[in-house]
Amino acid sequence: MSRGIQIPMRRKTKGDNVQRLRSADPEVFKGLRSRILKFVIDNKDALAKGWDEMPQELSDRQQDNWEPLLAIAKCLGEEWYQKACEAALKNCEETAPPKASSNQLLEDIREVLSDYSEKYIPSAYLLQELHDDDDMDWGTYNGGKPLSARQLAKFMSAYGIKTKTVRMNADYTPKGYEVRDFADAFARYLPELPSELPPEEEKPLRAGKPPIPEF
């Protein structure tokens, strides 16, 4: 996966409608091919040389992947080169693979939110729920120490879920999450929950679970 430029894609849900592209009319690309050929001929020396001024934030392999596109952008001028550098940095950040435990964290958050009724959830309260559940390992995630707010935010950012200042009431505006922001990640990356559990398989209440706070 690291030997090429990754294009972020998301798993299709049942409600997504997508158009299938089986083939394309060659005539559509005829003019484009001519323009590309002219560009290559006009800039063959610069393109053959490549480009050494690479963003230092990129790893060696990422620089190798992006060098051809950055060389093309440089031929188009400084403005396009800067745009290409910004695109490279953003792409590499967004396509960095989440840690293996992130899906488990997402699944545990879904369990916490299953009986949470507020529009927003403070990070501190969400972490308390994760730490206090004996069936989860987040209370001892860091070599015996609990998962931190920064680690939680980093895990969730891999799914496009960002922390924000949430207004719980006039006097309490902590950092936290909007509950609906999790729905898309739940649908795409977690297995579906059964619509109704048989009586013998009903999930017991978690021991020691604090009540939903009144903000």
Side-chain angles (χ1 to χ4, degrees):
M1 293 291 288
S2 64
R3 297 183 183 276
I5 296 173
Q6 298 181 44
I7 305 299
M9 300 181 70
R10 299 188 301 174
R11 185 178 300 169
K12 183 171 71 73
T13 66
K14 290 182 178 180
D16 289 337
N17 293 319
V18 297
Q19 181 180 1
R20 291 183 171 87
L21 182 63
R22 299 298 185 190
S23 61
D25 184 353
E27 291 298 317
V28 174
F29 302 103
K30 186 175 181 179
L32 182 59
R33 287 199 303 270
S34 298
R35 292 166 61 189
I36 292 174
L37 177 60
K38 184 178 186 305
F39 175 84
V40 172
I41 293 173
D42 292 344
N43 298 277
K44 61 180 181 180
D45 293 337
L47 294 174
K49 180 181 178 182
W51 193 249
D52 295 330
E53 296 182 16
M54 308 290 288
Q56 294 305 304
E57 296 89 342
L58 300 180
S59 67
D60 289 343
R61 180 162 291 177
Q62 289 170 338
Q63 290 184 3
D64 291 342
N65 293 339
W66 280 91
E67 181 182 1
L69 291 182
L70 293 179
I72 292 172
K74 190 65 177 180
C75 293
L76 298 174
E78 188 63 26
E79 180 181 355
W80 280 105
Y81 176 69
Q82 291 301 324
K83 288 182 178 181
C85 288
E86 292 172 6
L89 293 173
K90 184 175 182 180
N91 172 271
C92 292
E93 178 182 355
E94 291 181 348
T95 57
K99 294 181 180 178
S101 55
S102 62
N103 269 25
Q104 182 60 55
L105 177 57
L106 192 66
E107 189 167 355
D108 290 341
I109 290 174
R110 181 171 67 175
E111 182 177 343
V112 170
L113 295 180
S114 65
D115 52 3
Y116 184 84
S117 58
E118 298 290 333
K119 181 179 179 181
Y120 303 104
I121 184 166
S123 297
Y125 178 76
L126 177 55
L127 284 167
Q128 179 188 350
E129 289 278 78
L130 294 169
H131 296 163
D132 291 349
D133 195 308
D134 293 335
D135 294 331
M136 303 176 188
D137 298 324
W138 305 110
T140 56
Y141 176 73
N142 293 308
K145 296 182 179 180
L147 179 77
S148 69
R150 177 173 293 184
Q151 289 171 323
L152 173 63
K154 187 174 182 179
F155 273 131
M156 292 302 100
S157 68
Y159 299 103
I161 303 170
K162 307 294 185 182
T163 56
K164 61 183 73 175
T165 299
V166 297
R167 187 178 182 84
M168 307 307 297
N169 59 43
D171 301 318
Y172 186 41
T173 55
K175 287 291 185 181
Y177 300 88
E178 190 167 359
V179 171
R180 68 178 182 180
D181 287 348
F182 290 92
D184 186 72
F186 291 164
R188 295 181 189 279
Y189 299 104
L190 297 182
E192 290 187 24
L193 291 172
S195 57
E196 186 175 348
L197 291 174
E200 66 273 15
E201 294 183 16
E202 286 184 350
K203 183 179 66 176
L205 292 176
R206 288 178 282 151
K209 179 184 180 300
I212 296 174
E214 295 182 2
F215 300 109

